Amino acid sequence: MSEVGNSARWLAVSALAKIKDGAYSNLQLNQLINQHSMDRRDINLLTNMVYGVIQHRLTLEYWLKPFVRHPHQLDPWVHELLLSALYQWQYLDKIPKRAVFNETIEIAKVKGHPGIRRFVTGVLHEMDRRGLPDFSTIENPDERLSVTYSMPIWLIEELRRQLGAGKMQQLIASLNQPAKQSLRVNAAMTDVAGVMTVLTEEGLDVEASQVSPLGIVVNEGQAINTSAMKYGMFTIQDESAQLVVPALDVQPSDLVLDACAAPGGKTTQIAAALDVDQGGQVVALDIHAPKVRLIGKNAARMNVADRVAATELDARKAEAEFGAAHFDKILVDAPCSGLGLIRRKPEIRYEKSLQDSLNLQKVQLSILTAVAPTLKKGGIMTYSTCTILEQENQQVVKAFLADHPDFELVKTPTANHLKADRPDKTLSIYPDDYLSDGFFIACLRKK
C-alpha cells in the first residue's frame, strides 16, 4: 500500500476523524478493512493506530497542546493526523521517528494544501526540538491521573469512592492494554480440547481460559477466519461474559426467557444446555426487528435454532405476553453504560457520564420488575451488566429486593470458583482481575 491516499496511516486518520464525529470504532475499522485490500501487516497497523489514539487521546492532547494555539480551528483530519503521529512516535517502538515524521508530512502534502504541509512540518519539528510536556508538572492529582491514563476525572473519582484508591489506579492502568481475543466453545457440538486441536492445526496459538471452562484465549492468529468459526464450533465472546449463563443453572427441559437477548451470544449458550426433546426452549427478546433476525442467524450458525424462539418484544411487556409463572429461568442481561468494555471499545470512556448510569438504573430496574412475575416459584432470575459502577449493579439489585420480598439473593456460582472467598453474594469482575471485560452478575431466586 505505497500510495499515500490508501496507506494504513491515512486510513487510520480518516477513521479517527469519523469516530470523533460519533461513528463506532469497531464498525469503522471493519468497513475500512472490507473496502481496501490490505495485507495483514497494514491491517495490524491500522487497527493499532485507531485503537491506540482513542485509548490515549487525553494524553496525546496534553502533549499536543503547547504546540498548537487554536486546536479547535484545525480541520478534524489535521488534528487526528498530529495525534496519530504522536501516538506512533511515543508508543510504537518498532517505527523510527524519521519514518513517522516523513509519512505524516507526506499525508499533509497530498491531502491538504501547502499551508497545511508547512504547519504540520513545523509542529512536528518543534515537538522534537522542545520535547513533550511532563505529567509531573500537573499539580492536581486527579488531573494528573486523567492525563496519564487518559480517563475522565469523573470516572476516576467515582471508582476511588467505590473501590478505594489502590484498586482504582490498578483498574484504570489495566484498561489501555490490548483486549484479549477470546472464544466460547459451543457445548452443543464439541468441547474445548476439540476446538483447540482444530485451531492449532489452522495455525493459531491458543490456550484454555482460566476464567471460563468453555473459554479459549487466542494469543496469535484470527479465529474469525477459521473453518471452526464457520461451522459454529465456537463464537467470539469475552471470558467474563461466558460466566453469566452458567449462573442460571439451566436444566435440559427448562423454558428460559432471555429478556434482552441481541445479538444472541448468551441465547446460544443457554440453548446449548437445553434438550428440545425434553421441551427445552429459550425465548429471546429484542425490541428491534433487525436484531431479532440477528439472534436467529446466530442460533442457526451455532446449530441450536430448534431451541430458540427469537421474538420482537419489549421485555417490559413480558407479563402481558406470557402470563404469570411461565418461565423456569430468566436472564436479564440489561442495557448498561458498558464501562466494563473500555478495553474493547475505548471511546466509551469519553462518551459516558455518571448521569447516564443513573438514567440506565431506572431502565434496568423497570425490566427486572416487569419480567419478575413471569418466573415460576423456585426459579432463578440472573441479572447481569457489562459495567463496573455500583449505580447499575449493586444498587439496582438492592432496590429490586426492597420492592420484591418474594425474591432472595443467592450466591453467584462459577465453575472455576472465581473469588470464592468474597463476602458478597453477587459477583463483580473488574477489568484488572483477569484482564477480561468488567462484568456484574447477581442471582435472584423466587421464594
Side-chain angles (χ1 to χ4, degrees):
M1 293 183 65
S2 55
E3 193 188 329
V4 168
N6 277 328
S7 72
R9 285 183 174 88
W10 166 248
L11 293 175
V13 169
S14 62
L16 286 162
K18 284 179 183 159
I19 291 161
K20 197 79 169 63
D21 211 28
Y24 288 112
S25 55
N26 54 341
L27 301 180
Q28 195 54 228
L29 271 172
N30 291 343
Q31 195 179 332
L32 282 174
I33 290 165
N34 291 334
Q35 285 171 351
H36 297 82
S37 60
M38 289 186 270
D39 61 26
R40 177 55 51 196
R41 221 178 70 189
D42 280 329
I43 290 173
N44 288 344
L45 178 61
L46 169 64
T47 306
N48 188 329
M49 281 180 63
V50 169
Y51 280 126
V53 170
I54 298 170
Q55 280 173 335
H56 299 283
R57 184 172 289 281
L58 299 184
T59 311
L60 300 170
E61 299 272 16
Y62 174 77
W63 281 333
L64 182 63
K65 194 177 176 185
F67 305 98
V68 178
R69 270 193 214 145
H70 305 291
H72 300 300
Q73 291 176 12
L74 291 179
D75 279 347
W77 74 266
V78 178
H79 188 234
E80 298 304 315
L81 179 64
L82 288 168
L83 294 184
S84 66
L86 267 171
Y87 171 71
Q88 293 170 81
W89 176 22
Q90 294 300 309
Y91 291 101
L92 300 185
D93 306 341
K94 291 177 183 170
I95 304 178
K97 179 177 67 180
R98 186 185 70 255
V100 173
F101 283 19
N102 288 348
E103 182 84 10
T104 302
I105 292 164
E106 188 63 21
I107 289 171
K109 178 179 155 188
V110 171
K111 292 291 174 184
H113 50 72
I116 287 177
R117 179 186 58 76
R118 284 194 297 274
F119 170 75
V120 168
T121 305
V123 170
L124 292 176
H125 288 161
E126 188 67 4
M127 287 194 293
D128 194 24
R129 189 177 66 78
R130 277 167 50 189
L132 302 176
D134 199 313
F135 304 145
S136 62
T137 60
I138 305 171
E139 287 180 18
N140 182 305
D142 281 355
E143 196 185 324
R144 189 162 59 244
L145 281 174
S146 174
V147 168
T148 303
Y149 297 110
S150 210
M151 286 291 157
I153 288 176
W154 77 264
L155 187 56
I156 289 169
E157 290 172 346
E158 199 55 30
L159 289 173
R160 182 194 289 112
R161 187 184 70 74
Q162 294 184 18
L163 305 173
K167 177 67 172 174
M168 172 274 291
Q169 190 152 348
Q170 197 175 301
L171 194 162
I172 63 172
S174 78
L175 287 172
N176 290 331
Q177 296 180 33
K180 286 193 266 184
Q181 186 189 163
S182 55
L183 325 171
R184 176 178 55 78
V185 169
N186 183 1
M189 283 181 70
T190 182
D191 57 21
V192 169
V195 174
M196 285 179 71
T197 301
V198 171
L199 292 177
T200 304
E201 284 169 359
E202 293 203 40
L204 281 73
D205 175 20
V206 296
E207 62 179 299
S209 165
Q210 301 302 303
V211 177
S212 162
L214 287 176
I216 294 174
V217 176
V218 181
N219 299 317
E220 192 69 47
Q222 289 298 318
I224 203 161
N225 302 324
T226 59
S227 57
M229 172 79 178
K230 185 178 157 190
Y231 293 123
M233 292 173 77
F234 64 81
T235 191
I236 309 289
Q237 190 179 42
D238 183 77
E239 295 166 278
S240 298
Q242 296 176 34
L243 302 173
V244 174
V245 169
L248 270 175
D249 189 29
V250 176
Q251 300 302 306
S253 61
D254 278 348
L255 179 58
V256 185
L257 176 66
D258 188 352
C260 314
K266 296 180 186 72
T267 305
T268 59
Q269 191 174 0
I270 293 167
L274 297 172
D275 182 347
V276 75
D277 294 331
Q278 293 185 45
Q281 188 186 50
V282 52
V283 178
L285 307 184
D286 196 90
I287 52 174
H288 302 292
K291 289 187 174 180
V292 174
R293 287 195 290 274
L294 183 59
I295 296 167
K297 195 174 164 186
N298 280 327
R301 187 181 66 80
M302 299 291 278
N303 298 291
V304 291
D306 58 345
R307 290 157 258 184
V308 175
T311 307
E312 187 183 342
L313 184 73
D314 186 329
R316 287 168 289 195
K317 296 175 181 170
E319 189 180 10
E321 182 74 19
F322 303 109
H326 186 73
F327 295 102
D328 299 293
K329 307 280 164 62
I330 296 176
L331 172 59
V332 177
D333 186 41
C336 71
S337 60
L339 290 167
L341 310 179
I342 285 178
R343 203 180 278 124
R344 218 169 282 287
K345 296 180 177 175
E347 64 269 33
I348 286 175
R349 68 185 88 187
Y350 312 117
E351 296 169 354
K352 302 294 179 185
S353 67
L354 189 56
Q355 190 56 49
D356 290 324
S357 283
L358 295 170
N359 295 343
L360 282 158
Q361 186 185 81
K362 294 170 194 157
V363 176
Q364 292 152 350
L365 196 51
S366 70
I367 295 171
L368 276 176
T369 300
V371 300
T374 69
L375 185 66
K376 293 176 184 174
K377 283 185 179 177
I380 293 282
M381 178 162 68
T382 293
Y383 172 74
S384 64
T385 73
C386 53
T387 195
I388 50 179
L389 294 183
E390 63 183 29
Q391 283 83 351
E392 299 174 65
N393 296 338
Q394 292 89 341
Q395 287 182 20
V396 170
V397 170
K398 190 177 175 185
F400 175 80
L401 288 170
D403 287 342
H404 295 81
D406 55 333
F407 276 82
E408 62 180 342
L409 188 62
V410 294
K411 190 161 186 174
T412 300
T414 65
N416 291 0
H417 307 293
L418 303 179
K419 300 190 170 185
D421 56 352
R422 69 186 188 274
D424 305 318
K425 288 181 176 174
T426 59
L427 177 65
S428 296
I429 303 284
Y430 295 102
D432 60 313
D433 292 340
Y434 308 105
L435 296 183
S436 57
D437 289 346
F439 248 84
F440 173 81
I441 309 169
C443 293
L444 301 151
R445 181 191 287 138
K446 197 169 202 178
K447 294 176 190 172

